[in-house]
Amino acid sequence: MIRLFAAVAVPPELGQGLQARQNGLGGANWRPLEAFHITLRFFGDVREDVADDLHLELERISAAPMTLELEGVGSFGEGPDLHAVWAGVRENDALRRLAKACETAARRSGLKAEARAYRPHVTLAYLKRPDVVEVAAWLSANAQLKSPPFEVKNFGLYSSLLLSGGSRYQLEQIYRLR
């Protein structure tokens, strides 16, 4: 089994700006620069034969290059269940169509439909038993986050290894937008 997801990488120069915001939350597991991405579809643990089918389906996706912007911040979970803080992605129809195409590729490969609504974001930190007041202050202090526009010409299929210190990602395949 291999743990896979499709994503758009965040350019390093924008990632450096995100890293500058990675402070002020005690116990946060801040994500490293190389982990910054916008997930299109998390596929989970898949058998290698299904991964091969998925690759072929992702290769068939036809989508034009697009321009994205990061905008705002948020969190996942509430109260004691807060478990992540993230940078948002400005609403973009082309990105939503690409995410939907990745969902279609997953279904054609025999994977179950994604039950969660698509929320494009860049995870900045995973939280474990955070101070809710501290998180609210961090969200307020970073609410005006806005990046310059950046061009997206491809997306990737990544594998993920779960380690004690967090996840490590490896790019498996790049798909060009055309």
Side-chain angles (χ1 to χ4, degrees):
M1 299 283 264
I2 184 170
R3 188 176 181 90
L4 296 173
F5 64 94
V8 170
V10 172
E13 61 276 10
L14 292 183
Q16 291 166 354
L18 294 175
Q19 282 184 310
R21 296 172 183 272
Q22 290 182 310
N23 57 61
L25 289 177
N29 178 8
W30 297 108
R31 307 307 299 145
L33 180 65
E34 61 273 8
F36 291 157
H37 64 270
I38 302 163
T39 301
L40 296 165
R41 171 60 154 87
F42 178 73
F43 305 112
D45 293 323
V46 299
R47 294 187 329 256
E48 293 206 19
D49 61 317
V50 175
D52 291 341
D53 291 344
L54 178 61
H55 161 65
L56 293 174
E57 291 296 334
L58 291 172
E59 220 171 31
R60 294 176 48 191
I61 291 175
S62 178
M66 66 187 81
T67 302
L68 298 178
E69 295 175 62
L70 302 180
E71 183 175 76
V73 294
S75 62
F76 289 126
E78 293 182 16
D81 295 325
L82 273 168
H83 59 271
V85 291
W86 45 262
V89 178
R90 185 176 190 163
E91 185 59 39
N92 185 291
D93 289 338
L95 179 65
R96 288 204 175 271
R97 284 191 301 274
L98 180 57
K100 186 174 181 179
C102 289
E103 174 64 28
T104 299
R107 300 290 302 279
R108 286 185 177 157
S109 301
L111 299 175
K112 292 182 181 177
E114 175 60 67
R116 296 172 290 188
Y118 182 61
R119 175 89 191 222
H121 66 280
V122 178
T123 301
L124 300 178
Y126 292 111
L127 310 173
K128 191 171 185 176
R129 293 186 295 279
D131 178 325
V132 176
V133 173
E134 204 173 69
V135 174
W138 185 91
L139 292 170
S140 179
N142 290 281
Q144 299 303 314
L145 180 144
K146 186 166 174 57
S147 78
F150 62 99
E151 195 70 24
V152 176
K153 296 180 182 177
N154 56 57
F155 70 98
L157 179 63
Y158 294 81
S159 61
S160 172
L161 287 174
L162 297 177
L163 306 169
S164 60
S167 299
R168 188 173 59 104
Y169 308 123
Q170 179 174 321
L171 180 62
E172 299 292 332
Q173 189 70 44
I174 294 177
Y175 305 99
R176 300 268 173 232
L177 299 178
R178 51 200 181 293

